[in-house]
Amino acid sequence: RHCMAKHETIYPTEMELEAIQRIVGNTEAALKKVSDMIAAEDTTSGDKNKNKKDSDMKKDDGEGKPRVLVGVMRVGLLAKQLLLRGDSNVELVVLCGEKPTVTLLRRIANHLPKQLKGVAPDEKYEITVEYQDACLIVSTKKRSPEDENVLSVMVH
């Protein structure tokens, strides 16, 4: 009984969990769309370069070069479901098909706001690029007026 009471005091409330799941889900969906956009941009620019260089080359069997953004993983406390009451910072890691660069970080940062608007039009997200940490920070205010804390997702 004592353990259950202690657990209730440290475990996040349903509203906190819902808010964290919403921002993480929206960020993951937006990153998926960004990955699709970057892949489409790379294929169109790749096709133009191929056509300019060698028009006699045969096309691949639909297999182009690998995607730049391969996937997204939840890491840290979020992945292990060890969030505590009041935790407002969670982390995601973007898996890349090739070595990530500052240019790629900028490309993602340019596409992400538009995609977040498309995924969640009623939410207001602020995106900050941290070049020192090689990450993007997606943040939003919590919905309840008494809480002025900021929820943030750090995308590495």
Side-chain angles (χ1 to χ4, degrees):
R1 186 171 20 150
H2 174 69
C3 289
M4 291 306 290
K6 194 66 163 172
H7 180 266
E8 285 180 23
T9 61
I10 62 171
Y11 194 72
T13 64
E14 193 64 35
M15 282 178 44
E16 287 177 323
L17 286 174
E18 185 180 308
I20 289 171
Q21 290 297 333
R22 184 173 36 257
I23 190 172
V24 168
N26 290 343
T27 304
E28 288 172 337
L31 284 169
K32 168 69 172 130
K33 289 186 176 190
V34 168
S35 172
D36 294 342
M37 286 183 70
I38 290 175
E41 286 174 1
D42 288 351
T43 16
T44 56
S45 67
D47 288 345
K48 289 178 186 175
N49 290 340
K50 281 182 187 176
N51 290 337
K52 287 179 184 176
K53 286 182 181 177
D54 196 0
S55 57
D56 296 335
M57 291 284 286
K58 293 183 180 179
K59 290 187 178 181
D60 283 341
D61 310 334
E63 298 271 335
K65 63 181 194 176
R67 289 178 86 95
V68 176
L69 302 181
V70 178
V72 179
M73 285 186 64
R74 298 175 179 194
V75 295
L77 298 176
L78 177 65
K80 296 176 184 172
Q81 297 178 348
L82 294 175
L83 293 173
L84 297 175
R85 187 170 294 199
D87 280 348
S88 59
N89 298 327
V90 293
E91 296 184 28
L92 299 175
V93 172
V94 175
L95 305 173
C96 298
E98 52 191 51
K99 186 177 177 182
T101 61
V102 173
T103 308
L104 178 60
L105 187 63
R106 284 191 192 119
R107 284 178 76 186
I108 295 169
N110 289 336
H111 290 304
L112 194 58
K114 188 175 14 173
Q115 296 307 320
L116 277 169
K117 270 272 193 250
V119 169
D122 56 335
E123 297 278 343
K124 290 190 177 186
Y125 293 111
E126 182 181 319
I127 296 161
T128 311
V129 182
E130 296 286 335
Y131 293 106
Q132 292 295 97
D133 296 332
C135 70
L136 297 167
I137 299 175
V138 180
S139 57
T140 186
K141 296 258 186 214
K142 288 187 180 179
R143 284 194 168 179
S144 57
E146 67 271 3
D147 266 343
E148 285 303 317
N149 293 339
V150 174
L151 281 175
S152 65
V153 176
M154 188 176 279
V155 182
H156 294 279

